[in-house]
Amino acid sequence: MSLPDSSSQATVVGVGAKNVPFTFSSSNKETIVGIIGTYNPAKTSVVDEIPLEVLSAGDVGEQTGYGYMLHRLAINVFAGLNGTGRVFIIPQAETGGAAATVKQIAWVGAATTKPGTIYLRLGGKLYAVAVPSGTTLEDYSQLVVDAVNADPDAPVIATKTAVTFETVFTSKSKGPWGDLLTVTLNAKQGEALPTGITSGTVSTTTPGTGTPTASDALDGMGTDDDANSIDITHLVHGYNLDTTTIDAISAYVGNGNDFTGCYSKLVGRPFVCLNGDTTAGTAGYNALLALAAARTEDRTNGYLGAPDESRHPDEIAALSIGKIGDVFQTNPIQHYAGISLFGSDADSSDRWTKNYSARDAAVKNGVSPTRVVNGILKLQNVVTSYSYGVTPASNGYKSFRSFAITRNILKFMRELFEADAWQGCAIVENIEDVTDLEASQKVRDVNSVKTALNNLTDFLVGKGMLFEGDFTKENSTVAIRALSNGFDINYKYKISGELQVFNIQQSFDTNIAS
């Protein structure tokens, strides 16, 4: 009989040892979204450029001002996350001398002759203003003012001029942000002004000016080895395509293919950022291509083209980051093509994204297109402007989805070797030579590191993150450092591919035998 078993009674000491490979297990990296933007200056309790965790869009509105930039971005981020992850805001004060955008509608007509509706959209949101019969020019302008100001989430404050009764919209947030807030009338088929109102002409009377220095907000997230100390994985901001902002974000995370910025070995907390654009037609397409072409070593910023959409481009980027962040945490191997954003109101004639050749060229050159499918705006490839052509050639930084896998592997690797089992250990040539039971618990050799890495590899293959595991096991290397104070590890892996293209040919014969 084997000793001891459940029936053993005689005195005995039974000791045995088995080589058992301990498997590695961990949860996916948590999504943490950072939002950089300005707030209502009347909110004097806000501390500039210090990250603050927030629990809801309403929380942001209460603390920084409803309808202001941070709140508007937060509405979209939280809608996209749908309960996943965490959110931090990094508030910035508006710059000294900044100006708000002012737009207006000049109404022409007389008193309405029958009831009707004014179909006004601000940033794509519909305000259906009921107009009773007999309403005068002055009164229907006031009805619009009252409808807009009754919405605390509105991005503008509406007023009425005293003499000619134009409806004036002043953006709550100062700076170029307000220039991108669309004001439209009768955008949908079947919508028309009430009888008696002959026209409503939209114009911009004052452009917004003043963009804060984003690098100050980034420094507030930590510098040097404490860079991105709150461990943000995805970032959005309200400064649109401001090149100074984009360059600062790229430099903070670290350009090129080196261990710099948030890609430093002592940091290991990189993030990605999405910048939206709604400029229609060839002009929008070429501008995005030029923006990306100037930043071929930027492994952080993506440029999302949603041409001719009436929503604010930064809000579209915020919603997209929320949706991407949800996938990042729940299933990081999934790419983002086909994810629905919202019902589109774009003019098909002005959408460069409707053409496959344009979308293909955009992706190859570092621009992320969208598509309108059955009236719904959907994500396609989501990429950075990092170019295949840099030295060394690589596309690993290009895809947001590849970033998701790399970010998770960074987490898993750190968790593996920061675990208690690897703390306070001695390095030996062969752990089998260590016979003392207590001492054997705290010795490690090259083979024990390789075994741990192989277990991690099996875990990653099991999660679909790696294309295959044998390559990693055969090509990764482990060596004792020259001072015998640690291990030099070169862990090589191939990220699993993205299923993006089906090239299908069908063959058929119409010949029918007589």
Side-chain angles (χ1 to χ4, degrees), residues 82-97:
N82 196 29
T84 306
R86 299 162 63 195
V87 178
F88 285 79
I89 57 171
I90 305 97
Q92 288 197 280
E94 296 174 337
T95 60

Side-chain angles (χ1 to χ4, degrees), residues 28-62:
N28 295 334
K29 176 74 185 79
E30 181 181 36
T31 293
I32 303 179
V33 177
I35 308 174
I36 295 176
T38 59
Y39 58 92
N40 182 352
K43 296 288 187 178
T44 56
S45 61
V46 175
V47 179
D48 286 343
E49 291 151 359
I50 299 297
L52 174 68
E53 186 166 10
V54 290
L55 303 179
S56 66
D59 185 17
V60 178
E62 191 66 29

Side-chain angles (χ1 to χ4, degrees), residues 389-453:
V390 299
T391 302
S394 171
N395 65 354
Y397 297 121
K398 196 172 187 72
S399 168
F400 270 44
R401 182 262 190 182
S402 293
F403 165 82
I405 292 177
T406 299
R407 192 68 156 86
N408 271 276
I409 294 177
L410 282 171
K411 170 185 183 286
F412 298 146
M413 188 71 75
R414 189 174 294 278
E415 285 180 346
L416 173 61
F417 291 110
E418 286 183 348
D420 289 342
W422 290 90
Q423 304 307 305
C425 292
I427 298 173
V428 297
E429 182 180 25
N430 188 346
I431 59 175
E432 293 182 2
D433 295 337
V434 180
T435 57
D436 182 86
L437 181 62
E438 184 173 354
S440 67
Q441 306 304 308
K442 285 295 181 179
V443 292
R444 298 291 182 266
D445 60 8
V446 167
N447 284 333
S448 60
V449 177
K450 288 182 177 179
T451 297
L453 292 174

Side-chain angles (χ1 to χ4, degrees), residues 38 94-99 174-177 208-212 239:
T38 59
E94 296 174 337
T95 60
K174 296 178 181 178
W177 160 272
T209 59
T211 300
Y239 309 145

